[in-house]
Amino acid sequence: MIFTPLTSGKSVEGNEIEAFKTDTEAPKYIYLMAGTHGDEVEGVYVLQELFKWLKEEHALEDLPIVVLPILNPDGYRASSRVNSHAVDLNRNYPTENWCAEFKKDKNNPGPKGLSEPENIFLEKLFEKFPPGFIISFHSWKPILNFNDDAQDIAEYLSSYNEYPVAGDIGYPTPGSLGTYAPEKFNAPVLTFECPVLDKDISLKSIWDENEEGLKSLMQSELLTNKLKR
């Protein structure tokens, strides 16, 4: 596939937020994104490898795709979950359940929904290139957390990587992308949680256990069907 750089966004510190789009124009787009939490390098790496393959595999059918390799470049550079305002970008979306209260600093939602430049940039992309389906790569523990009409894709990927599939991760996530995208854009979200690095788990091993499933998904009709909703 051929990807063209879009006009970049800027983080709190003025660092570039890169975004790329295929040349295919469509009413809705598949979003592949990572680095919402800057300390989750595992998800960033998996998307990096997938993006590399998408660019190199010219036999693939063209799809309308937008890729954001790292949404939170300040946090990524600092190995920090939050951005440079100490805000958790995945609690900062203006959902119906957004709440200013938080118990842990790492979940600081900011002064109001969509207060952060990183999320403002993503919102502008959504407005210009409406999402039809979003895969957001994170790392915590292996789990495929689906919101809205994403269970089938979660189960498809689980058949390859054997990650648990869950519609609820067990605690409230007000202001999350998984809530916001279905509410405002009618776009299902799959939060793809990778395992974290340890002495027995490397970046390469995480990619190895996900490579076949992700590549198969990109060549299936499951994603294109989501764009027809």
Side-chain angles (χ1 to χ4, degrees), residues 22-223:
T22 55
D23 291 340
T24 303
E25 302 295 332
K28 294 183 179 182
Y29 292 80
I30 299 161
Y31 274 74
L32 305 174
M33 54 186 288
T36 295
H37 296 140
D39 58 349
E40 297 178 0
V41 297
E42 300 87 350
V44 171
Y45 182 80
V46 168
L47 178 54
Q48 173 186 305
E49 293 301 300
L50 177 60
F51 188 30
K52 185 189 304 181
W53 174 74
L54 289 172
K55 290 185 289 185
E56 293 174 350
E57 184 51 74
H58 299 298
L60 289 171
E61 178 184 350
D62 288 337
L63 293 171
I65 300 176
V66 175
V67 177
L68 289 98
I70 302 175
L71 180 64
N72 180 9
D74 297 352
Y76 187 72
R77 292 183 180 204
S79 297
S80 169
R81 173 185 174 92
V82 296
N83 74 351
S84 289
H85 284 158
V87 171
D88 179 349
L89 297 181
N90 206 33
R91 298 293 183 273
N92 182 243
Y93 295 99
T95 58
E96 293 178 3
N97 67 351
W98 184 86
C99 178
E101 297 178 2
F102 59 99
K103 294 181 179 180
K104 298 179 180 180
D105 288 345
K106 69 176 186 176
N107 295 135
N108 174 11
K112 64 178 182 178
L114 214 64
S115 64
E116 303 310 298
E118 296 87 354
N119 283 346
I120 292 171
F121 172 63
L122 182 61
E123 170 85 355
K124 289 179 179 177
L125 286 180
F126 284 171
E127 295 285 358
K128 188 170 184 178
F129 307 108
F133 192 83
I134 301 168
I135 302 179
S136 182
F137 291 90
H138 288 256
S139 49
W140 171 43
K141 62 181 180 180
I143 192 168
L144 298 165
N145 173 221
F146 64 89
N147 291 88
D148 199 47
D149 183 25
Q151 184 173 355
D152 55 344
I153 290 182
E155 291 175 346
Y156 182 86
L157 290 171
S158 179
S159 72
Y160 287 90
N161 61 19
E162 299 184 350
Y163 290 5
V165 172
D168 189 321
I169 59 172
Y171 56 85
T173 57
S176 69
L177 179 64
T179 301
Y180 183 57
E183 275 185 3
K184 182 169 182 180
F185 297 96
N186 193 31
V189 178
L190 177 66
T191 304
F192 190 117
E193 297 279 2
C194 300
V196 297
L197 298 174
D198 66 21
K199 62 182 180 65
D200 297 317
I201 300 175
S202 66
L203 292 176
K204 184 178 184 303
S205 70
I206 295 171
W207 170 242
D208 286 347
E209 70 184 11
N210 285 293
E211 179 179 4
E212 184 179 4
L214 286 169
K215 288 182 176 180
S216 178
L217 175 65
M218 301 308 299
Q219 297 173 86
S220 76
E221 294 183 353
L222 286 172
L223 287 177

